């Protein structure tokens, strides 16, 4: 029989004597310790059942080891289920105390649903893109930095986001930037927070560029290395876009929303045609760029292939842009028709007033 850690026993006694109706769970995390300090294993967080339960929270230091007994609500646990927060907190969790069997079952259901999400190709692809976007957002800042410590810090944040993206594409997770094969392929539970088992496929040069982040002593080298990581990771993700959607996934897509989008943007198509016909280069270019951004949006939102408009732009031959614009409009109309969506369209004001009263 495993001997209960004295700190675990202390917290459980405190709950049973002072917060019996206010705490749903006390949870420890395996693999969240360094050099045998036991951090996270004697306890990591508790799930409050009432507002009063939050009062159990406390931080303290024992023999140089910091302990944070903190609350994590059911709502925050759903963030882990959806991979918006640390998956480790569910995957490596041990229930140390449960107020009831129902509370324990609810927690295990969270863990089960998290792994269902990790196994879902479309779900992990979407999450990989989200973390890629976060990395790109940080990159917008790092290119203007000139202090080494700031560049190093932001480069690490970018690399962590990219490591998460790559892990998701491998149907696993990481809570740490991954620098080496050892980190990626090591499945040991000890120090799980620093390892990422099952990360078997990575972008070209991923580990080599990651190690350059550790070696670089120059801001420009760091920036160049980060850019290389961004490029290869982005290509890695986009090359693995799920090609087949399940019937259930298609059914969840709001194609009426796509129709509303098209009805709103139809005026942009009309303007582009007019600008092209009258050789109004600047205005045609501006509206084409706007429409291209919208195409990128609907590709994500409605799970359709990206539509390429801007490759057809030629300031000396705007007919190419007009023709491509018309082709893409027909593609959108075809998608809507294929899903039985009827456009709210009328031939004239008279037609509208007649039909609408």
């Amino acid at each position: 029989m495993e001997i209960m850690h004295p700190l675990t026993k202390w917290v459980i006694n405190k709950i049973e004597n002072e917060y019996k109706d206010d705490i749903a769970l006390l949870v420890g995390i395996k693999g969240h310790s360094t050099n045998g300090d036991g951090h996270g294993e004697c306890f990591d967080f508790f799930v409050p059942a009432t507002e009063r339960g939050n009062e159990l929270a406390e931080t303290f230091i024992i023999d140089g080891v910091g302990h944070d007994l903190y609350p994590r609500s059911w709502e925050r646990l759903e963030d882990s289920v959806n991979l918006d927060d640390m998956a480790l907190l569910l995957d490596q969790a041990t229930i140390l105390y449960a107020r009831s069997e129902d509370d324990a079952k609810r927690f295990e259901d969270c863990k089960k649903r998290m792994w269902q999400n990790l196994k879902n190709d479309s779900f992990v692809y979407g999450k990989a893109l989200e973390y890629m976007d976060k990395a790109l957002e940080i990159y917008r800042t790092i290119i203007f930095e000139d202090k080494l410590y700031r560049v190093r810090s932001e480069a690490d944040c970018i690399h962590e986001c990219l490591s998460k993206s790559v892990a998701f594409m491998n149907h696993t997770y990481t809570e740490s930037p991954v620098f080496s094969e050892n980190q990626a392929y090591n499945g040991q539970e000890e120090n799980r927070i620093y390892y990422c088992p099952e990360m078997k496929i990575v972008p070209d040069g991923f580990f080599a560029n990651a190690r350059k982040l550790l070696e670089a002593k120059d801001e420009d080298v760091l920036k160049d290395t980060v850019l290389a990581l961004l490029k290869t990771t982005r290509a890695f993700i986009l090359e693995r876009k799920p090609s087949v959607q399940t019937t259930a996934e298609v059914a969840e897509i709001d194609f009426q929303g796509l129709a509303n989008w098209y009805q709103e943007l139809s005026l942009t198509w009309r303007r582009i045609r007019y600008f092209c016909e009258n050789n109004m280069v600047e205005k045609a270019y501006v509206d084409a760029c706007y429409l291209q951004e919208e195409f990128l949006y609907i590709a994500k939102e409605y799970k359709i292939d990206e539509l390429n408009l801007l490759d057809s732009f030629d300031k000396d031959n705007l007919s190419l842009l007009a023709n491509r614009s018309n082709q893409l409009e027909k593609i959108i109309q075809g998608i809507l028709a294929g899903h039985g969506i009827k456009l709210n369209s009328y031939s004239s004001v008279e037609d509208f007033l007649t039909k609408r009263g």
Side-chain angles (χ1 to χ4, degrees):
M1 181 176 178
E2 187 175 348
I3 299 175
M4 183 180 294
H5 194 286
L7 286 178
T8 306
K9 186 181 296 185
W10 169 77
V11 180
I12 292 175
N13 287 338
K14 191 173 181 66
I15 292 171
E16 290 179 337
N17 291 325
E18 301 176 36
Y19 298 95
K20 194 166 184 62
D21 298 324
D22 304 298
I23 304 298
L25 297 170
L26 178 68
V27 178
I29 303 297
K30 295 179 290 183
H32 197 352
S33 62
T34 301
N35 194 28
D37 62 22
H39 174 72
E41 296 177 358
C42 55
F43 60 76
D44 190 83
F45 65 90
F46 63 90
V47 181
T50 68
E51 186 63 32
R52 181 177 180 271
N54 290 303
E55 297 175 7
L56 179 65
E58 187 174 353
T59 59
F60 48 87
I61 301 172
I62 298 177
D63 192 24
V65 178
H67 295 277
D68 182 11
L69 178 61
Y70 71 98
R72 186 170 287 270
S73 66
W74 289 112
E75 290 75 19
R76 285 190 68 190
L77 286 174
E78 287 296 326
D79 290 338
S80 292
V81 170
N82 294 319
L83 307 179
D84 294 323
D85 200 351
M86 296 177 73
L88 179 83
L89 298 178
L90 290 174
D91 181 43
Q92 296 293 303
T94 300
I95 297 176
L96 303 173
Y97 165 87
R99 181 184 58 169
S100 69
E101 188 174 326
D102 286 343
D103 289 320
K105 285 182 177 178
R106 183 177 178 182
F107 187 83
E108 292 300 326
D109 177 68
C110 288
K111 184 185 297 190
K112 178 181 177 181
R113 288 187 290 115
M114 182 203 73
W115 274 106
Q116 287 173 342
N117 285 335
L118 275 171
K119 292 175 183 177
N120 184 307
D121 288 340
S122 296
F123 192 91
V124 294
Y125 180 77
K127 287 299 167 186
L129 288 177
E130 284 182 24
Y131 278 91
M132 183 75 209
D133 286 345
K134 290 179 181 179
L136 289 170
E137 186 66 27
I138 301 169
Y139 184 71
R140 291 174 58 185
T141 300
I142 200 174
I143 57 177
F144 297 107
E145 295 289 3
D146 56 8
K147 294 183 175 65
L148 179 59
Y149 71 92
R150 283 180 173 268
V151 175
R152 274 182 171 161
S153 176
E154 289 164 4
D156 181 70
C157 290
I158 290 171
H159 182 43
E160 181 177 343
C161 288
L162 297 181
S163 296
K164 287 178 182 290
S165 291
V166 174
F168 290 146
M169 295 303 294
N170 279 267
H171 298 282
T172 187
Y173 67 89
T174 183
E175 308 299 356
S176 170
V178 177
F179 294 94
S180 67
E181 291 87 343
N182 179 56
Q183 276 182 286
Y185 308 148
N186 192 325
Q188 66 186 28
E189 287 190 349
E190 184 182 357
N191 273 343
R192 174 61 181 85
I193 197 168
Y194 295 109
Y195 291 108
C196 182
E198 307 307 323
M199 186 190 277
K200 302 304 182 187
I201 305 173
V202 301
D204 292 340
F206 188 78
F207 295 129
N209 280 317
R211 282 191 286 270
K212 285 182 182 178
L213 297 179
L214 301 176
E215 299 164 356
K217 299 178 181 179
D218 178 84
E219 304 90 71
D220 290 333
V221 173
L222 282 167
K223 292 176 184 179
D224 290 344
T225 304
V226 163
L227 181 58
L229 282 166
L230 285 166
K231 285 182 176 180
T232 57
T233 303
R234 182 176 184 274
F236 174 85
I237 295 169
L238 294 179
E239 287 168 1
R240 287 160 177 77
K241 180 180 180 180
S243 57
V244 179
Q245 295 171 323
T246 67
T247 302
E249 287 170 339
V250 173
E252 290 178 359
I253 298 174
D254 177 20
F255 285 101
Q256 183 57 55
L258 180 61
N260 294 339
W261 171 88
Y262 170 68
Q263 287 164 180
E264 180 183 349
L265 271 291
S266 61
L267 184 59
T268 304
W269 264 284
R270 191 174 187 275
R271 285 200 303 260
I272 288 174
R273 282 191 289 269
Y274 176 80
F275 294 148
C276 289
E277 288 169 4
N278 290 276
N279 200 35
M280 302 168 73
V281 175
E282 295 88 349
K283 292 181 179 179
Y285 180 74
V286 169
D287 271 21
C289 288
Y290 170 67
L291 191 55
Q292 184 67 74
E293 285 297 315
E294 289 291 323
F295 285 149
L296 297 176
Y297 159 74
I298 63 168
K300 286 185 180 180
E301 186 71 14
Y302 300 104
K303 309 296 188 294
I304 63 176
D305 290 337
E306 287 189 1
L307 302 176
N308 180 351
L309 175 61
L310 285 180
D311 278 3
S312 64
F313 178 80
D314 181 343
K315 72 178 183 64
D316 298 318
N317 187 2
L318 290 182
S319 64
L320 297 174
L321 179 65
N323 291 337
R324 181 57 177 162
S325 174
N326 291 335
Q327 290 172 1
L328 297 182
E329 185 172 25
K330 287 183 173 63
I331 289 174
I332 295 295
Q333 292 171 344
I335 292 172
L336 294 172
H339 291 279
I341 303 297
K342 186 176 180 181
L343 292 171
N344 193 17
S345 179
Y346 307 87
S347 61
S348 65
V349 173
E350 290 76 12
D351 181 37
F352 175 84
L353 294 175
T354 298
K355 293 178 178 176
R356 300 293 295 272

